[in-house]
Amino acid sequence: MVAAMFATLLANTLLGIPLFLTLIVTALVGFAFVDPGMIARMMPQQFFGGLNSFSLMAIPLFILAGNLMNACGMTERLMRVARLLVGHLRGGIGHVNVVGSVFMSGVNGSAAADASALGSLLVPAMRRDGYSTAFAAGLTAGSSLIGPIIPPSIFMILYSAQTNTSVGQLFLGGVVPGL
C-alpha cells in the first residue's frame, strides 16, 4: 500500500500534475487499498469537519479587510500617518516602512499581505529617496514579518484552533514582542 502511494505521488509529481491533484489522487489510491467504500463516508465528513471551526472564519475576513483597505485608499492614509510619526527622523522612509508594517499587521495579520501592500507603495518611494532596490525590498520583507506576531494574527488563530488555547491570551502574548 505505501509503495503504491509513493509511486503514485512520484509519478504524478514527475508528470507535472498540480500538487493539490497529486495529493488527492495519492490519498484515493491509499483509500482503495484500505476500503473503497471508506471514500464515500470519510470525504464529506472531513470536508465539513474542517469548515466547522468558528475561529477559522476570521482568516478570509482578514484577507477581505486587507483588500478593502487597498481599494479604498486606507493603506495610503496609514502610510501618511506613519510618515508624520517617524518621517522626520534620519532615514525616515525606512522608519515609515517599519511603522507602516506595524499598522498593517494590526489590521490583516499576515506577512504576505503586508509585504504586497507595502511593497507596492514604499519600494518605489524608497528608490526615489536614493535607497537601492535590494535594500528597499529587504527592509519591506523584513518588516512584514512583524505581521504574524502582532495581533490579530492568522497564525495565532490557526494555532488556537488546533490546540484549543485561548485566542485572547495568544493575542495578549503577541503585543509586547511585536512592538
Side-chain angles (χ1 to χ4, degrees), residues 6-80:
F6 183 72
T8 304
L9 179 71
L10 187 63
N12 286 336
T13 303
L14 292 175
L15 288 174
I17 296 175
L19 184 61
F20 77 97
L21 289 175
T22 299
L23 293 175
I24 288 173
V25 170
T26 303
L28 292 176
V29 167
F31 279 134
F33 280 104
V34 176
D35 179 15
M38 185 186 298
I39 297 171
R41 292 189 308 268
M42 291 290 291
M43 285 185 81
Q45 178 185 3
Q46 292 299 317
F47 282 138
F48 290 116
L51 295 173
N52 194 19
S53 176
F54 181 73
S55 60
L56 294 180
M57 217 169 48
I59 295 171
L61 294 177
F62 284 150
I63 295 168
L64 176 65
N67 287 337
L68 288 175
M69 283 180 58
N70 284 337
C72 73
M74 182 62 104
T75 307
E76 290 88 5
R77 290 182 186 141
L78 281 175
M79 291 307 105
R80 277 188 262 158

